[in-house]
Amino acid sequence: MSAAIRQHAVRGLMRARPMTISRIHTTAAVSQVGTTHAPDRVHGSYHWDVERAASAALVPLMAAQLAVGANPVTDVLLGVVLPVHLHIGFDACITDYYPKHKSPVMNRLMTYTLTTATAGILIGCFQFNMHDVGITEFIARSWTA
Amino acid sequence: MFATRAVNSIVAQNVARTALFKNASAVPTGIRAFRATPSTMEQSPDAESELLRQQRLVRPKSPHLTIYQPQLTWLMSGFHRITGCAVGAGFYVGALSYLALPALGYNFDTSAIVASVASLPVVAKVGIKTTVAFPFVFHCLNGVRHLIWDTGRFLTVDGVYKTGYAVLGSSAAITLYLASL
């Protein structure tokens, strides 16, 4: 019985379709059972480290924003750390709702869209900090307008 | 079938107590008739798969939002993600608009935005500030709560609830302060 369930689960994994369509009783070979991807620190623990480092760095950055106000160092740092934090956050959502094994096309499409958008906001933040008043001053002015 | 027989034999052994039933004298009819063992039908494998497929379509599906008891834990976790995505999407749209709108002919620098914000009525300003501030403040404070968990602290049910209420209370207070600015 468990072999049939395993076969069925593998069927669901092998074909990126909902499991409602797959058959239960099959006799096909189950060559993919028990396999896993190669361990990879970059997408594993290092990713976790970068995620927490970016989140933690935002705390003193925002404190500096409140304490000092507009400052080119704060703004430039914020213009890098904030897009990184946003990218990692949205990437986690993509991984959760469009996993590669279930919806490979949507996953790739959304990842490319996100990467392009993150590149765009990195450029946008840089331009804003260089040619406009800077992120902190913008928030201060528009909040107290 | 066997369950019905068992119930019948239990009632037969305890006739006095079966006065609870309406027709206590007639033992089988005093018990509400039920089929303990519904009849089964042999199916072909294809038909079994089809039945299972139909069952799956009406079965409650993860994340079971309609039947899961509301709890602070998952409500705050979901709200953390929702607020993060909302504020993040706003930032993405704003930053990309800053790059794109001048090419389309619109003025989108600080002075234009500050001027348009200043021209809003006070009610709208306070309303917008509250609507923008609360998700941001909640996400920040809950983010700190997540970082505290990453150090290993407050990883108990009691700790999760205490820090959760602390985040909710302080984010309400800070939002009110920010909206008053």
Side-chain angles (χ1 to χ4, degrees):
Chain A
M1 184 57 189
S2 69
I5 293 174
R6 268 215 320 278
Q7 282 180 19
H8 184 63
V10 164
R11 234 134 248 292
L13 284 172
M14 278 162 56
R15 295 184 258 161
R17 273 191 278 157
M19 280 173 72
T20 49
I21 300 177
S22 326
R23 285 279 172 246
I24 309 296
H25 299 281
T26 60
T27 55
V30 282
S31 56
Q32 283 202 12
V33 171
T35 58
T36 181
H37 59 273
D40 172 21
R41 270 194 226 252
V42 171
H43 294 97
S45 66
Y46 291 167
H47 182 271
W48 191 93
D49 293 339
V50 170
E51 183 179 10
R52 309 298 141 150
S55 309
L58 280 171
V59 177
L61 270 175
M62 286 198 300
Q65 275 186 306
L66 290 165
V68 177
N71 182 299
V73 175
T74 320
D75 286 333
V76 166
L77 277 175
L78 203 62
V80 170
V81 176
L82 194 55
V84 166
H85 178 74
L86 291 169
H87 181 90
I88 296 180
F90 277 121
D91 190 53
C93 293
I94 294 175
T95 311
D96 283 343
Y97 304 131
Y98 298 103
K100 258 186 245 175
H101 63 268
K102 257 185 126 174
S103 40
V105 175
M106 272 309 275
N107 180 295
R108 222 175 295 140
L109 174 72
M110 302 211 85
T111 309
Y112 283 152
T113 312
L114 178 68
T115 314
T116 315
T118 307
I121 67 168
L122 276 166
I123 297 170
C125 287
F126 180 77
Q127 294 281 346
F128 193 83
N129 286 328
M130 288 295 128
H131 303 302
D132 212 319
V133 292
I135 300 175
T136 315
E137 186 60 25
F138 170 73
I139 297 172
R141 280 194 204 173
S142 53
W143 200 262
T144 54
Chain B
M1 180 177 75
F2 296 112
T4 319
R5 277 219 216 134
V7 173
N8 284 349
S9 70
I10 289 170
V11 171
Q13 289 160 23
N14 302 284
V15 178
R17 275 184 261 178
T18 61
L20 292 167
F21 296 119
K22 269 192 191 158
N23 300 323
S25 56
V27 163
T29 58
I31 302 159
R32 190 171 60 190
F34 68 101
R35 292 183 337 145
T37 313
S39 55
T40 52
M41 294 189 298
E42 284 278 331
Q43 306 269 3
S44 66
D46 282 343
E48 273 184 27
S49 297
E50 180 58 27
L51 266 174
L52 269 168
R53 192 190 71 83
Q54 285 171 359
Q55 281 176 340
R56 281 202 195 99
L57 287 173
V58 296
R59 203 181 284 165
K61 291 183 188 62
S62 182
H64 299 292
L65 290 172
T66 50
I67 56 174
Y68 208 127
Q69 182 193 45
Q71 293 167 324
L72 195 77
T73 46
W74 66 266
L75 283 175
M76 284 189 75
S77 174
F79 204 55
H80 186 75
R81 174 160 279 195
I82 291 170
T83 52
C85 289
V87 175
F91 189 88
Y92 267 83
V93 167
L96 291 172
S97 306
Y98 174 75
L99 282 178
L101 285 183
L104 295 167
Y106 294 101
N107 200 10
F108 199 74
D109 62 347
T110 307
S111 49
I113 297 171
V114 169
S116 56
V117 169
S119 66
L120 291 170
V122 177
V123 178
K125 274 197 249 186
V126 173
I128 290 174
K129 280 191 221 177
T130 317
T131 317
V132 170
F134 182 66
F136 179 76
V137 170
F138 176 86
H139 188 83
C140 286
L141 292 172
N142 207 30
V144 170
R145 183 169 166 241
H146 265 90
L147 290 172
I148 293 175
W149 285 335
D150 288 332
T151 66
R153 294 174 175 77
F154 292 102
L155 281 172
T156 60
V157 175
D158 201 47
V160 166
Y161 270 79
K162 281 206 173 96
T163 51
Y165 287 128
V167 162
L168 282 174
S170 46
S171 57
I174 297 177
T175 304
L176 284 174
Y177 166 69
L178 285 177
S180 70
L181 283 176

